[in-house]
């Protein structure tokens, strides 16, 4: 049985005022110890109660909260008809908003579900990152990496040959495809469950069915087994991983260490808030060695290097 360690953690910011008028959609760690939060005043309804719309007839209001050096700024996007799910920093001071779904109508009409905005809310450029996106990560060199869930791998929303059929795709900052796992025949990715990068430029991903952790760099991938563990978000520091799993309502945080070609569980982690209760986040994001949590109206950061 793994041991459990308890680590006290304090909030880095409070979103009490912002959450009075909007709901959290996505959170992200920036490249400069900053944080981004995507809020929506109202979410578009599901089509037939099951499928997210890509573009809506009615406009929706989004807000982007940027936290840096103790300062909070809010960017308002009041007339949006795209259904956004993810936010990432890109370029120098711009933000990338991505919708999980993109409809392929025909070769001349493919929905561009990735949109880059400047600090004034002006659209800079847009492009398509494919359908069925489960994770988006913009690396330090501004490469965009997308991991896909099953519909993005096998095709839906009009895609007979889906962009995400390999499960992981790399793009340049303008949305031009630069890499994928299509030539990698060692494993098949049914669904990319988690995505991150490291300080050396490696792209880390965890996928289902074969349950492997992959590390891709310069067109090559090395695979590791995570000892039967599953997760949706993780921080990495050298041979150590701290992973977060939310499965069937059970939230868990645990540490893994590499031994040869395996990452083995070392212990469970419980993050203890100032009021003495355990962390129960509704949103989690990662960048390199850090995990970002939104618990209620408070944001928390956990760093694998320092332990808090």
């Amino acid at each position: 049985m793994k041991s459990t360690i308890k680590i006290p953690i304090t909030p880095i910011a409070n979103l009490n005022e912002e959450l009075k008028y909007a709901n959290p959609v996505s959170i992200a760690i920036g490249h400069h110890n900053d944080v981004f939060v995507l809020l929506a005043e109202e979410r578009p309804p599901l089509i037939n109660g099951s499928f997210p719309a890509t573009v809506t007839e009615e406009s929706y209001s989004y807000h982007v909260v940027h936290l840096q050096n103790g300062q909070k700024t809010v960017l308002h996007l009041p007339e949006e008809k795209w259904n956004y799910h993810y936010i990432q920093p890109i370029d120098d001071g711009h933000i990338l908003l991505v919708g999980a779904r993109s409809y392929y109508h025909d070769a001349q009409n493919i929905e561009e579900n990735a949109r880059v905005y400047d600090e004034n809310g002006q659209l800079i450029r847009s492009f398509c990152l494919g359908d069925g996106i489960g994770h988006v990560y913009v690396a330090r060199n501004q490469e965009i990496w997308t991991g896909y869930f099953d519909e993005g791998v096998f095709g839906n929303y009009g895609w007979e040959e889906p962009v995400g059929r390999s499960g992981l795709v790399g793009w340049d900052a303008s949305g031009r495809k630069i890499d994928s796992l299509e030539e990698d025949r060692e494993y098949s990715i049914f669904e990319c469950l988690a995505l991150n990068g490291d300080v050396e430029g490696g792209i880390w991903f965890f996928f289902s069915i074969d349950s492997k952790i992959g590390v891709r760099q310069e067109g090559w991938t090395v695979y590791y087994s995570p000892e039967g563990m599953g997760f949706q978000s993780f921080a990495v520091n050298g041979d150590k991983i701290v992973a977060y799993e939310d499965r069937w309502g059970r939230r868990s945080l645990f540490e893994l260490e590499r031994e040869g070609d395996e990452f083995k569980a070392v212990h469970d982690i419980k993050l203890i808030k100032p009021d003495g209760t355990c962390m129960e986040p509704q949103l989690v994001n990662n960048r390199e060695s850090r995990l970002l949590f939104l618990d209620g109206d408070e944001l928390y950061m956990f760093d694998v290097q320092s332990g808090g």
Side-chain angles (χ1 to χ4, degrees), residues 133-201:
I133 298 172
H135 297 275
V136 181
Y137 181 83
V138 177
R140 292 190 185 196
N141 63 3
Q142 306 306 311
E143 289 179 357
I144 305 166
W145 289 85
T146 42
Y148 299 82
F149 55 83
D150 54 352
E151 291 186 45
V153 173
F154 297 103
N156 199 355
Y157 280 53
W159 292 85
E160 293 185 4
E161 295 185 10
V163 169
R165 55 186 172 271
S166 72
L168 180 73
V169 178
W171 317 79
D172 70 12
S174 296
R176 289 183 285 265
K177 185 177 176 181
I178 57 174
D179 195 12
S180 76
L181 296 181
E182 290 177 32
E183 301 302 321
D184 189 336
R185 303 300 182 188
E186 190 168 357
Y187 295 102
S188 296
I189 298 181
F190 177 78
E191 184 172 19
C192 181
L193 298 174
L195 180 63
N196 199 356
D198 61 32
V199 293
E200 287 81 26

Side-chain angles (χ1 to χ4, degrees), residues 30-52:
H31 298 105
H32 308 289
N33 292 320
D34 51 342
V35 169
F36 295 85
V37 181
L38 177 63
L39 305 171
E41 293 186 13
E42 185 181 0
R43 297 295 284 149
L46 295 173
I47 301 171
N48 298 324
S50 300
F51 299 98

